Amino acid sequence: MTTGYLYHEIFGWHDTGTHAGLFPSNPLAGLQPLQHFENAETKRRLHELVVVSGLIDQLTRLAPRKATEEELLRVHTVEHVERIKAESLLPKGGDAGDGLSPFGAGGYDIALLAAGGVITAVDAVLDGVVDNAYALIRPPGHHAIAGMGMGFCIFSNLAIAAKHAQQARGVERIAVLDWDVHHGNGTQAAFYDDPNVLTISLHQDNVFPPGSGRIEERGEGAAVGTALNIPLPPGTGDGGYLHAMNEVVVPAIDAFAPDLILVASGFDASAMDPLARQMVTSEGFRSLTSRIMEVATRHCGGKIAMSHEGGYNPVYVPFCGLAVLEQLSGATPFTDPILPIPAGFAGQDLQPHQAELVAAVRQAAGLS
Ligand code: 3YP
Ligand code: ZN
């Protein structure tokens, strides 16, 4: 198994500045400045663990290129692209759209490399240069919609790469699995009326964007049935996530029979994340990866490209990411010394209310 791995130091230079939790800092309101949650460290430390663990020697390093404007415009409006470009020239940069998604000077060019990095990963997989690939990029993408960025995202990296696969590479059917703990609203929106792209989002029920990612969101027109949302209750651990994979994600993708699988890979469903309340461990992420690889083997010769999204615990994200990369590449696991703590949390196994939600999704999706 050869696994493509894409990372570039410049991703660490995307400057989100200071922020006070979910809001811009504001001393008059008591919001003391702190480094933005979405900062370089989680990504940089994952990369450094990939190097220090020795896994880097078993991966095929890929170099990102910038996405072209034509590629961006398959998903975004000219106005959005031009505004980001203009604000990126200001000495202090700007915001992607919702006031929660700052970027520093030159942020446009780094965002182009993030979107282009996912395209690079997809191309490497489609060309057979590698069997599968992981793009460890920044800024993230899955919340960005046509006319604006939001939720720390500037451009919809994975959606742009999927449109590239369709329009430039002739890929017919694409399945997207988003296991970031937040709803992949931007990716879903980009393909809401496209019957050839199945978008599946596993997320914590109603966290971000507010009200988004309900079971009832199923796609529109000819594409009804090709959007699938699994809004898991807070406190869901490895057992609940695996159950959702086995009962919904795997059968839905089997029924869809894709030619390519893309994964929006956030690690903010981890048991140690400050921005959500799920309990997935590094072993849980390893199992999710293993499940999706089995489906990919059945339908598309194992072709999977993953795009990095959220994940905000600088200590734990590296071990979660390493587990995914090890599984993708078939490498011998490096020990996660933190694992015993989250693995020992009560409620790691499937709980009745979680099974109930999964059953409701199966029902809505016509799987039972
Ligand atoms: C954006 C503002 C509040 C929650 C935050 C979510 C960012 C994220 O990780 N999205 O996947
Ligand atoms: Zn997230």
Side-chain angles (χ1 to χ4, degrees), residues 58-116:
Q58 298 182 53
L59 304 172
T60 299
R61 194 72 187 261
L62 303 173
R65 67 157 169 94
K66 287 183 179 177
T68 65
E69 281 194 31
E70 184 190 349
E71 288 165 341
L72 297 184
L73 294 173
R74 290 182 180 135
V75 172
H76 296 289
T77 63
V78 182
E79 291 72 21
H80 176 52
V81 173
E82 291 304 322
R83 192 179 61 76
I84 300 297
K85 194 192 297 180
E87 288 186 8
S88 177
L89 293 172
L90 302 173
K92 293 190 173 173
D95 186 279
D98 62 352
L100 305 177
S101 313
F103 59 88
Y108 175 66
D109 300 90
I110 302 176
L112 289 183
L113 275 173

Side-chain angles (χ1 to χ4, degrees), residues 2-354:
T2 38
T3 294
Y5 172 69
L6 184 144
Y7 177 73
H8 194 291
E9 281 67 17
I10 194 97
F11 294 135
W13 298 12
H14 161 51
D15 186 4
T16 49
T18 55
H19 209 69
L22 300 186
F23 298 99
S25 58
N26 179 358
L28 296 179
L31 294 165
Q32 183 180 352
L34 176 72
Q35 175 143 59
H36 195 290
F37 273 122
E38 201 297 292
N39 60 64
E41 285 310 303
T42 40
K43 277 60 67 167
R44 189 181 281 149
R45 290 169 64 104
L46 167 51
H47 171 69
E48 292 192 6
L49 186 60
V50 168
V51 173
V52 169
S53 67
L55 180 63
I56 190 85
D57 298 327
Q58 298 182 53
L59 304 172
T60 299
R61 194 72 187 261
L62 303 173
R65 67 157 169 94
K66 287 183 179 177
T68 65
E69 281 194 31
E70 184 190 349
E71 288 165 341
L72 297 184
L73 294 173
R74 290 182 180 135
V75 172
H76 296 289
T77 63
V78 182
E79 291 72 21
H80 176 52
V81 173
E82 291 304 322
R83 192 179 61 76
I84 300 297
K85 194 192 297 180
E87 288 186 8
S88 177
L89 293 172
L90 302 173
K92 293 190 173 173
D95 186 279
D98 62 352
L100 305 177
S101 313
F103 59 88
Y108 175 66
D109 300 90
I110 302 176
L112 289 183
L113 275 173
V118 185
I119 295 174
T120 302
V122 165
D123 276 339
V125 169
L126 292 177
D127 289 339
V129 175
V130 294
D131 294 301
N132 51 42
Y134 195 102
L136 178 53
I137 49 152
R138 194 173 163 258
H142 73 152
H143 296 310
I145 56 177
M148 64 183 269
M150 59 190 287
F152 316 162
C153 304
I154 300 177
F155 298 128
S156 193
N157 306 317
L158 184 147
I160 290 164
K163 295 273 189 192
H164 165 80
Q166 291 183 300
Q167 296 177 31
R169 304 298 310 263
V171 176
E172 255 177 50
R173 297 171 73 75
I174 303 173
V176 179
L177 170 62
D178 186 323
W179 66 47
D180 184 283
V181 81
H182 303 99
H183 180 226
N185 64 295
T187 317
Q188 174 177 290
F191 300 103
Y192 209 56
D193 61 358
D194 185 342
N196 291 313
V197 179
L198 170 67
T199 60
I200 307 177
S201 181
L202 273 168
H203 48 270
Q204 183 182 326
D205 188 17
N206 198 10
V207 174
F208 188 85
S212 189
R214 292 169 303 109
I215 293 179
E216 295 73 29
E217 297 169 23
R218 300 296 326 279
E220 67 189 10
V224 169
T226 62
L228 197 48
N229 286 293
I230 313 170
L232 295 164
T236 304
D238 289 351
Y241 268 81
L242 263 186
H243 183 70
M245 283 299 284
N246 295 339
E247 296 293 312
V248 177
V249 177
V250 169
I253 299 180
D254 274 334
F256 186 75
D259 304 309
L260 172 67
I261 295 178
L262 303 179
V263 175
S265 171
F267 296 112
D268 38 16
S270 97
M272 316 290 275
D273 200 89
L275 285 191
R277 292 296 175 270
Q278 304 299 46
M279 306 203 298
V280 181
T281 70
S282 58
E283 283 306 305
F285 284 109
R286 194 188 301 279
S287 304
L288 298 183
T289 306
S290 157
R291 282 288 187 285
I292 200 71
M293 288 174 74
E294 290 163 10
V295 189
T297 301
R298 282 200 286 280
H299 297 286
C300 49
K303 290 199 285 289
I304 301 175
M306 298 196 182
S307 171
H308 196 84
E309 298 284 354
Y312 305 100
N313 183 318
V315 172
Y316 205 48
V317 163
F319 288 101
C320 296
L322 190 71
V324 168
L325 281 161
E326 287 165 348
Q327 189 65 37
L328 282 175
S329 60
T332 313
F334 185 86
T335 304
D336 167 6
I338 301 164
L339 178 64
I341 302 287
F345 287 179
Q348 276 295 3
D349 47 345
L350 176 68
Q351 304 295 309
H353 66 297
Q354 298 160 2

